[in-house]
Amino acid sequence: MLWNIGMPLALLVVYVVVFSAVLVPSISPDVLEPGTFPLYLSVGFLPWTAFADTLLRGTQALVGNAAYLRRLPLPERVFLGQSAVASTIGMLVVLVLLWLLSLVWGRFPTLAWLAMPVVAFLWQAFAYGLTLALGALNVFFRDLTQLVTILVQIWMWSVPVVYVEQLLPDTLRSVLPFNPVYPFLTSLRMVYLQGTFPPVELWLAMAAWVALAVLVGELVLHLVQPEIRDAL
Amino acid sequence: MSTALLEVDGASKRFKLYDRARDRVADWLHLARPPRYREFWALRDVSFQVQPGESVGVVGPNGAGKSTLLKLISGVLPLTSGKVHLRGQVLSLLELGTGFNPALSGRENVAQSAALLGYDRSFAARHAETIRDFAELGSFFERPVREYSSGMFVRLAFSLFSVMQPELFVVDEALAVGDLRFAAKAVARIREMAAQGTTLLFVSHDLHLVTQLCTRALWLHGGSLQMDGPAADVTRAYRQFTVTGASRPRAVSGAAAAPESGSEAPPPRLCLGGGWYPLEAYAGEVFRWGRAGAEVVVMDALSTPRVVELDIEPGPRLPGPPVRLHATSGGGVVLAELPLDARGTCPVMVPAGPAGQRVQVRASILPSIAPGDHRQLNLRLLGAGWAGAGPPTPTASLPLIQDPEGDQDLAHATRMMHAALQGCPPAPGAPARITNVRLLNALGAPATAFRPYDGLVAEVVISADRDVQDLVTGVQVRDLFDRRVWAGRSDWQGRQPLALKAGERATVSFRTDRLILGDGWYQITARWHLYPHEMEPLQWVDGAWTFEVLPSEHPTFLGLADLGWHYEAHVWEQPATEADD
C-alpha cells in the first residue's frame, strides 16, 4: 500500500518543485491564492492517479485473471468489480492524504467537504464503466493495455491536472467542459480550495458521464461476452 | 421428469476462428455478410444423462472434446446450442489449486478456496486437520504455498477436493498426483467416494483406471459421442480403435483434420452398440439363443427416414422353419422382419426422429444349426451419407452358432471368441490375422473351467495372408477389472520370432503346468506384432476367451495368486532375564 502512494507522492513533489519555479510566478493572485499551488496540484493529481490506476487495472482485469476464468464458472464482472473496488480503496487513501495536507496548510474542513467522497465515488464509477468495455476488449486485442497507458497520459495533459486552467488560450478553454473528467476535477477543486459546494450543472454533468460510461461499457461487454472465454 | 443428476442434451460448442482481429469487430457489428470466421466445432450434438451415484468415464484421443465437455458442464464455457442441466453443484479437480494464493499458508488457502466455492467458514475449520493429514503435509501446512514442491501443491489440492461433497465430482486427467504411492491413495479415495454414492465423471487416458473406477463410459471422438455403454465395452472398443483404426467414425476425419468452413450439414452418424455378450460373460451366465442381439444407435437427429441394411453372410441353407430377425426401434415398433435363411440383404427403415434412436436386432426363434456350423449375421449400415466414400462403414455381427448337445459353457466361450475376433480385426493391410484362440486343459481338450494348479495351454492360431517375417505373438490373462494378471510373448525366453509363408498357419501355444491363480473369472487377450515393433500391435483381441478358476476344495491360499508361501511357527520360552536385550 505504501508503494502504491509512493510513486504519485514522489511525482507530486517533483511537479510542485518544478512548477512552483516555472509556472506559479506567472499566475496572478486572483486566480490562485499565493502559496496554495501545492494544494491545487494535489487535489488534481492525486485523484487522477487513482483514476488512471482504475482504468489500467480494469483493462487488465480479465486477461490478468485468465487462469481463473478458464477454469471457474465465475462471471466476468467479478473480476472487473474486484479491480474497481481495489482502486477505489486507493481513491479513499488519496482523500485522507488530501485532508492531512490541508491541515498542514492550516485549513480546516468545511461542510462542503462532505461532497468530496461523493465526487470521488462518481469518478470511480465513471472509470468502472469504461473498464467494462476496456477489460472485455483487451481479451481480444491484447495491445489495448499499452494503448490505454499512452492515452491516459495524453488525457491527463488535456485537462488542467498539473497546470492552471486560466493559463490555457480561450479556444482550448472553451472545449474543456466537454472533456468527461473535467466536471469531476473541477468539483473536487471547488470543494477543496474554495470550500463551496459544486453547482447543479456539474452534478448533472458528472451523473451524465457516469451513466453514459456504464451504459456503453455494459453494451460492449454484453456484445462480446459470449466469446470472452473462447478467446482467453 | 427424469431423475438424472446431469442431463446433456444436444450440447454443441463452436469456436469462431478469426485470421485478423478486425474481422472479429466487423462481425460484432454485423458489418460482414457472410460472417468472416471459420468454424471449429469442438463438440457437436452430444447427449447423455448421468444418474445419481453413477461413475462415468470419458475416454477419447486428444482433441476429442473431453475438456470442452467438462467446461460446458461446469459452466465455464457457454454452449453454442443444446442444453446442460445439472441438479446440484459440480466440483472439478481441475479447478482446485488454481485459486491458491502462493503467499498464504496451506491452511489459509484451504479456507479461502472453500469460501470461493461457496462453503461456509466452519467447513474449512472442521476439515483442516483431515486435509493436512491426507495430504501428508505436516508442518508445511502452516507454511506459504510458494514454498511447496509441485507434488505437495497437488496433494493439497486433491485433499481439499476429497473432503468436499458436491453432487457431481469431475476428475480430469491428472490423477498422477504426487508420487506413485499418493496416486494410489488418491485412486483409492475416489473409489471410496464412488462406493459411497458420489456421482463421478472421470476423464482419463488410462483405460485401465477407467474400467476400475467406472461402471459406464463415454467415448468422445472428433467432438461427438462415439459410444456410450458399459466401461469395459467402451474401453475395449476404444483400445481396438487405437490399435487398428477400425470402426472409425465419419465425424473424425472432418473435425480433426481441418475446421470446416461454412455451415454444410454433415451426414448423420451411426454407432453400433456392442450387444450383450460381454456382460453375460462377466455374470458367468450361459448365452442362449433368443437373447442374441445387437443395437444400432443413430447418433444424429434424422429429418427423413433412412435405411439400415442388414446383410447376412452367405452360408448353407438353414433347415427347419425359417428363423426371423426382428429389428425394432426403442419404442418397440417392429421395423423389419427378416427371414434368416434368405441370403443377401434386408433394408430396415429408421424413421425420422431425434438423435439417439436405437434399433435393436434380435433373433426371434431358435434355429437348428448343425453343431460346429459357425455363421455370422453381419450388420452393415447403409444409406445416403452413411456409406459415402472414405471411412469404413461401421459393422457389427451376431454370431449364429449352436451346439445344443455340447458343453454350453464351451459353446458360449467359442461364440464369444468368434465375436471377439470379428470385433477386433487386424490393422488395415496387416499380413496376418488371428483365426482362433482357445484354452486347453491338461488333457488337450478345450476348456473354460480350471482348478488351481491345473495345467493349462493358451493356443493362438495365426493365419498368414502374405509372407510375413518376425511375427511375435502375445497372450495376456486379465481379470474382470481389466487388470493384466500375466502377459507372455513368443519372443521371450530366448525364442525367435516366426516366419510364415502366405497361406500358412501357425499354432502358438503358451503352456503352464501349474496355474497359480486364485478363483474367479479371467479373460485371455491375444495380440501380435512384428519384431521389434512391440509398441505397435497389429491386432489386439480383448476377451478372446473367458475362463473360470474354480475354488479349490482344500484351499491353501486366498486371493489373486499363490505366492508360494510357507508356514512355520517357532515356539520359544521367555528369556530368563529382561536385561538380556
Side-chain angles (χ1 to χ4, degrees):
Chain A
M1 192 51 120
L2 262 181
W3 286 112
N4 286 349
I5 54 172
M7 175 73 173
L9 278 183
L11 270 177
L12 186 71
V13 171
V14 170
Y15 286 141
V16 165
V17 171
V18 172
F19 283 95
S20 298
V22 177
L23 181 81
V24 175
S26 63
I27 304 174
S28 68
D30 53 311
V31 170
L32 190 66
E33 208 180 314
T36 59
F37 180 71
L39 291 182
Y40 179 91
L41 188 61
S42 305
V43 75
F45 183 69
L46 289 178
W48 177 272
T49 55
F51 168 69
D53 184 54
T54 310
L55 280 190
L56 280 172
R57 262 183 215 248
T59 304
Q60 287 167 305
L62 296 186
V63 171
N65 287 300
Y68 299 102
L69 282 165
R70 272 200 290 263
R71 292 189 173 98
L72 293 171
L74 295 172
E76 286 82 4
R77 274 190 186 70
V78 169
F79 298 98
L80 292 165
Q82 181 213 21
S83 81
V85 167
S87 346
T88 302
I89 292 171
M91 186 65 111
L92 292 178
V93 172
V94 162
L95 290 184
V96 173
L97 270 180
L98 286 175
W99 180 63
L100 290 175
L101 216 62
S102 71
L103 284 183
V104 172
W105 257 255
R107 291 158 163 255
F108 293 94
T110 65
L111 200 61
W113 276 44
L114 286 176
M116 278 183 69
V118 182
V119 174
F121 178 78
L122 283 177
W123 201 346
Q124 285 295 305
F126 172 68
Y128 170 71
L130 294 183
T131 59
L132 286 180
L134 291 174
L137 291 175
N138 194 33
V139 171
F140 305 97
F141 311 102
R142 303 289 170 105
D143 321 342
L144 199 62
T145 312
Q146 277 74 27
L147 191 67
V148 169
T149 314
I150 296 169
L151 288 181
V152 163
Q153 278 299 316
I154 297 174
W155 200 353
M156 183 178 94
W157 291 96
S158 77
V159 279
V161 171
V162 288
Y163 54 86
V164 181
E165 187 183 334
Q166 282 76 5
L167 295 181
L168 284 178
D170 284 347
T171 46
L172 284 180
R173 277 193 73 178
S174 62
V175 296
L176 259 187
F178 299 103
N179 198 315
V181 291
Y182 182 76
F184 300 99
L185 195 64
T186 313
S187 301
L188 279 184
R189 283 225 167 102
M190 213 171 258
V191 175
Y192 191 66
L193 295 178
Q194 281 124 47
T196 55
F197 213 71
V200 178
E201 309 92 80
L202 282 179
W203 286 112
L204 284 178
M206 286 189 284
W209 282 119
V210 169
L212 187 67
V214 172
L215 192 73
V216 170
E218 286 288 346
L219 263 177
V220 171
L221 184 62
H222 181 77
L223 186 69
V224 307
Q225 203 235 5
E227 290 171 42
I228 284 180
R229 282 162 204 258
D230 298 357
L232 268 174
Chain B
M1 278 308 284
S2 72
T3 56
L5 179 74
L6 172 68
E7 276 176 72
V8 177
D9 186 14
S12 299
K13 178 64 187 176
R14 177 194 56 198
F15 287 98
K16 297 178 180 176
L17 305 178
Y18 286 94
D19 294 329
R20 290 168 308 183
R22 63 169 183 272
D23 289 348
R24 191 188 288 274
V25 180
D27 278 356
W28 283 338
L29 302 176
H30 303 287
L31 292 179
R33 207 150 293 278
R36 293 194 180 148
Y37 58 81
R38 288 177 294 124
E39 293 188 325
F40 174 65
W41 289 90
L43 217 56
R44 200 153 197 168
D45 199 16
V46 169
S47 303
F48 63 93
Q49 296 191 344
V50 177
Q51 304 298 330
E54 259 192 313
S55 46
V56 179
V58 181
V59 300
N62 288 326
K66 303 191 293 293
S67 304
T68 306
L69 176 65
L70 294 191
K71 285 180 175 181
L72 294 183
I73 290 171
S74 62
V76 174
L77 283 179
L79 287 147
T80 305
S81 65
K83 271 192 307 227
V84 169
H85 185 66
L86 180 68
R87 264 173 256 273
Q89 194 198 356
V90 59
L91 180 61
S92 161
L93 183 52
L94 185 82
E95 298 166 4
L96 279 172
T98 56
F100 285 175
N101 182 340
L104 298 181
S105 72
R107 184 184 296 274
E108 289 160 342
N109 267 307
V110 163
Q112 200 190 46
S113 293
L116 205 66
L117 292 165
Y119 290 85
D120 62 31
R121 202 169 296 233
S122 67
F123 178 87
R126 248 179 311 149
H127 293 283
E129 309 311 316
T130 320
I131 291 170
R132 181 192 62 195
D133 295 342
F134 192 86
E136 300 162 20
L137 285 172
S139 59
F140 265 96
F141 195 51
E142 317 298 339
R143 305 287 311 160
V145 165
R146 75 178 117 84
E147 293 177 13
Y148 285 22
S149 70
S150 55
M152 293 163 86
F153 190 89
V154 185
R155 260 151 49 199
L156 178 64
F158 181 83
S159 307
L160 173 60
F161 178 81
S162 71
V163 300
M164 298 192 157
Q165 288 157 339
E167 279 74 16
L168 176 67
F169 264 125
V170 174
V171 183
D172 191 353
E173 222 53 87
L175 256 193
V177 285
D179 52 43
L180 269 181
R181 195 187 49 79
F182 190 80
K185 195 167 141 183
V187 169
R189 177 76 187 113
I190 289 181
R191 184 174 301 166
E192 195 182 307
M193 296 191 300
Q196 288 164 359
T198 305
T199 314
L200 192 68
L201 205 56
F202 179 61
V203 180
S204 180
H205 286 292
D206 187 338
L207 300 183
H208 170 62
L209 211 49
V210 170
T211 51
Q212 280 200 302
L213 288 176
C214 307
T215 49
R216 185 178 142 207
L218 311 172
W219 170 10
L220 279 180
H221 214 114
S224 46
L225 190 58
Q226 166 75 0
M227 192 170 169
D228 177 356
D233 292 355
V234 173
T235 52
R236 182 171 300 140
Y238 176 55
R239 184 183 288 126
Q240 184 60 26
F241 165 76
T242 58
V243 170
T244 62
S247 67
R248 197 170 142 90
R250 201 223 132 261
V252 179
S253 51
E260 292 166 40
S261 60
S263 51
E264 172 201 34
R269 287 146 299 153
L270 291 168
C271 173
L272 276 170
W276 287 261
Y277 329 113
L279 276 180
E280 289 197 343
Y282 286 168
E285 287 176 16
V286 179
F287 178 90
R288 288 183 203 288
W289 257 111
R291 299 177 60 187
E295 197 169 53
V296 178
V297 185
V298 183
M299 309 273 294
D300 291 292
L302 299 181
S303 53
T304 55
R306 298 279 187 139
V307 176
V308 171
E309 194 162 82
L310 304 184
D311 174 19
I312 306 176
E313 190 176 85
R317 191 186 155 80
L318 299 166
V323 178
R324 290 186 177 277
L325 276 193
H326 280 289
T328 51
S329 73
V333 184
V334 177
L335 302 171
E337 271 199 328
L338 172 67
L340 240 191
D341 51 353
R343 293 171 58 172
T345 59
C346 174
V348 174
M349 297 297 284
V350 183
Q357 284 197 79
R358 285 160 194 271
V359 178
Q360 273 122 21
V361 183
R362 57 178 70 211
S364 58
I365 59 167
L366 192 81
S368 331
I369 306 176
D373 178 3
H374 297 172
R375 185 186 308 236
Q376 304 284 347
L377 173 69
N378 291 322
L379 304 184
R380 226 152 37 88
L381 306 175
L382 298 175
W386 285 352
T393 316
T395 59
S397 53
L398 307 177
L400 305 182
I401 314 164
Q402 205 197 15
D403 186 3
E405 307 302 320
D407 177 347
Q408 284 291 335
D409 291 338
L410 190 60
H412 173 52
T414 310
R415 277 195 295 268
M416 293 274 301
M417 183 262 291
H418 284 287
L421 287 179
Q422 180 79 21
C424 307
R433 63 200 145 84
I434 297 174
T435 54
N436 212 336
V437 178
R438 56 184 184 163
L439 287 188
L440 309 177
N441 61 19
L443 302 172
T448 57
F450 300 85
R451 299 252 176 217
Y453 310 122
D454 275 359
L456 176 152
V457 178
E459 206 178 74
V460 178
V461 180
I462 292 198
S463 158
D465 298 326
R466 302 197 310 271
D467 289 3
V468 54
Q469 304 282 327
D470 298 327
L471 184 86
V472 176
T473 313
V475 161
Q476 300 179 357
V477 174
R478 286 176 180 265
D479 71 4
L480 287 192
F481 298 107
D482 209 27
R483 284 181 297 205
R484 187 171 60 190
V485 178
W486 171 87
R489 269 201 349 232
S490 67
D491 61 337
W492 287 345
Q493 301 181 342
R495 300 306 182 87
Q496 294 301 313
L498 285 178
L500 295 180
K501 291 198 170 56
E504 276 186 338
R505 288 177 178 225
T507 302
V508 182
S509 303
F510 294 80
R511 195 184 83 225
T512 175
D513 297 329
R514 251 169 80 85
L515 182 66
I516 59 162
L517 289 177
D519 61 285
W521 284 88
Y522 298 90
Q523 299 189 79
I524 296 290
T525 293
R527 53 164 281 176
W528 63 271
H529 65 265
L530 297 179
Y531 180 85
H533 307 290
E534 62 200 52
M535 299 310 285
E536 298 160 25
L538 292 172
Q539 188 173 10
W540 180 294
V541 186
D542 268 327
W545 193 270
T546 304
F547 67 100
E548 184 179 13
V549 176
L550 303 166
S552 174
E553 284 162 28
H554 306 286
T556 56
F557 72 98
L558 292 174
L560 269 184
D562 180 5
L563 299 184
W565 58 282
H566 297 278
Y567 172 75
E568 266 177 47
H570 178 59
V571 181
W572 75 97
E573 290 180 15
Q574 290 281 344
T577 61
E578 285 186 8
D580 273 3
D581 50 20

